[in-house]
Amino acid sequence: MQHLATPQPARHPSPTVKATGLAYVVFERPDLDKAERFLVDFGLEVAQRDAEVLYLRGTAPAPYCYRVHRGKKARFVGVGLTVASRADLELLATVPGASAVEAAPHPGGGERVVLTDPSGFTVEAIHGQAAVEPLPTRAPLPWNVGEVRPRINGTQRPTVDAPEVIRLGHVVLEVAHFQATCGWYAEHFGFIPSDVQVLPDGSPAVAFLRLDLGDTPADHHTLAIAQGFMPAYSHSAYELVDADAVGIGQRVLRERGWKHAWGLGRHILGSQIFDYWNDPWGAKHEHYCDGDVFTAAVPTGVHPVSREAMSQWGQVMPKTFTKPRLTPRNVAALVRNLRRSPDLSLEKLRTLARLFG
Ligand SMILES: [Fe+2]
């Protein structure tokens, strides 16, 4: 068993609030038409659209789970986290740098508090959004397994089209300031670590964080934070009904000319069957099904990190999946963060580059 050599990730004894869900992701894109083409092929439904903002949803009752603002450059902005009450919003409004409680000017309405995490990502805490009618979805395919054969004189013929996304499942972020960022999500939103992958020196490489819903099972991770050399979006993940839907998604996205990133496979930490695709700006989007759910009782697991440790079958994670783009801006950020982040050292960067670059 590996050990964790740093204070984070850890549970916070008395968080400001406990988030209850991941409501949406927010992006800026220079071309909303192009964004919509990819996301609809990926399996989301347009919920609302005007010249400046595009909202997409899954089949679940959330009014939207994906918001795209028209912007000069492609940029990941942040996430929306649901909280249980207006009182929770009022508590969050006291966090340094937070906005006051304000009306949310988006589908479903409700109220929000806008915060910025220590890595600069926007977090909108939201409460009171109105739900919408769920959309019809295909039922999971009934499998004949050994002697258990629910399908007699029947066939499997699922429709081969963009698979229906049920909901947004999780977001993975890379950060330079790992300890501060991890600690902030634990302190203010009550995230608890499900599993941590550590480098040989015991410092964390990836923390998989779940919501603290007490005895109610929560996704193994709703947020994961990876040690990088600058703040960056790694990927967001969307739940599909079953493995056939994941396979169908691969066929459809391939036929429509989108760029594949990694898959199919089954993860180890979280156990999801997965397939990753790049959007038109190279941002990774994951289809998954059959993820683990843990109650708050499950203790944190600590494991050595490696590319092989990212999946139990299927293609081993390719280096192209994690290789950073070394633009002049990114190199400048690397040099700056190497000086500023207490979590970074040349040796750690070399280790990360050996593993993932
Ligand atoms: Fe993922």
Side-chain angles (χ1 to χ4, degrees):
M1 181 83 173
Q2 278 270 343
H3 78 288
L4 177 65
T6 58
Q8 297 294 335
R11 295 182 188 221
H12 193 279
S14 53
T16 310
V17 309
K18 291 178 177 177
T20 55
L22 175 62
Y24 47 80
V25 283
V26 184
F27 289 86
E28 286 178 2
R29 296 295 185 228
D31 184 338
L32 293 189
D33 290 331
K34 204 188 245 186
E36 181 179 325
R37 277 199 300 279
F38 171 77
L39 293 165
V40 167
D41 284 347
F42 186 77
L44 289 157
E45 285 260 344
V46 175
Q48 193 176 311
R49 157 133 203 215
D50 60 33
E52 294 302 316
V53 197
L54 165 67
Y55 303 91
L56 300 109
R57 60 170 291 187
T59 61
Y64 73 96
C65 66
Y66 201 110
R67 192 169 99 214
V68 193
H69 294 264
R70 205 157 62 82
K72 274 208 179 70
K73 288 205 303 191
R75 183 172 84 92
F76 172 73
V77 177
V79 300
L81 296 173
T82 56
V83 299
S85 65
R86 187 175 208 277
D88 278 0
L89 288 182
E90 286 163 5
L91 286 168
L92 286 166
T94 67
V95 172
S99 77
V101 180
E102 59 188 35
H106 300 294
E111 293 181 299
R112 71 178 184 183
V113 170
V114 183
L115 305 97
T116 304
D117 80 12
S119 293
F121 294 113
T122 297
V123 177
E124 297 181 2
I126 181 137
H127 172 255
Q129 263 188 316
V132 292
E133 275 298 305
L135 299 174
T137 59
R138 165 168 81 67
L141 295 184
W143 281 29
N144 287 341
V145 181
E147 292 304 305
V148 182
R149 294 172 297 180
R151 203 177 70 253
I152 310 288
N153 301 335
T155 60
Q156 300 284 37
R157 299 289 184 273
T159 306
V160 178
D161 201 350
E164 293 150 352
V165 165
I166 298 171
R167 66 184 177 106
L168 168 66
H170 63 260
V171 174
V172 180
L173 304 174
E174 293 171 21
V175 304
H177 292 266
F178 186 99
Q179 291 294 306
T181 307
C182 245
W184 188 87
Y185 282 98
E187 179 180 357
H188 296 305
F189 288 96
F191 278 94
I192 54 180
S194 295
D195 285 292
V196 196
Q197 292 179 312
V198 297
L199 298 170
D201 67 357
S203 64
V206 189
F208 295 89
L209 308 172
R210 71 183 182 278
L211 300 168
D212 181 353
L213 304 180
D215 292 335
T216 303
D219 289 333
H220 173 273
H221 51 283
T222 288
L223 176 67
I225 297 178
Q227 178 73 65
F229 62 83
M230 62 182 282
Y233 163 89
S234 164
H235 68 267
S236 51
Y238 302 82
E239 186 175 11
L240 304 183
V241 67
D242 57 19
D244 282 81
V246 178
I248 288 168
Q250 184 175 94
R251 166 77 78 98
V252 168
L253 287 162
R254 202 180 287 287
E255 284 178 353
R256 296 185 189 176
W258 299 110
K259 199 161 173 267
H260 190 237
W262 178 31
L264 308 174
R266 190 187 273 277
H267 282 306
I268 299 176
L269 303 175
S271 303
Q272 305 94 335
I273 288 180
F274 65 83
D275 194 36
Y276 289 85
W277 287 83
N278 286 314
D279 82 355
W281 296 276
K284 295 186 288 276
H285 289 64
E286 176 183 7
H287 277 151
Y288 78 89
C289 68
D290 195 30
D292 296 333
V293 291
F294 288 1
T295 66
V298 177
T300 302
V302 182
H303 320 267
V305 71
S306 69
R307 289 193 301 124
E308 292 71 19
M310 297 301 178
S311 64
Q312 39 190 319
W313 53 254
Q315 181 192 14
V316 171
M317 189 173 80
K319 283 203 168 178
T320 51
F321 191 77
T322 45
K323 198 179 177 72
R325 280 185 256 186
L326 289 177
T327 60
R329 187 177 149 268
N330 291 0
V331 172
L334 188 155
V335 173
R336 189 170 61 243
N337 288 325
L338 194 52
R339 257 188 287 128
R340 286 199 195 150
S341 170
D343 308 323
L344 280 180
S345 64
L346 262 182
E347 197 195 330
K348 189 181 286 186
L349 282 177
R350 267 199 292 269
T351 307
L352 287 168
R354 188 164 39 75
L355 283 165
F356 299 113

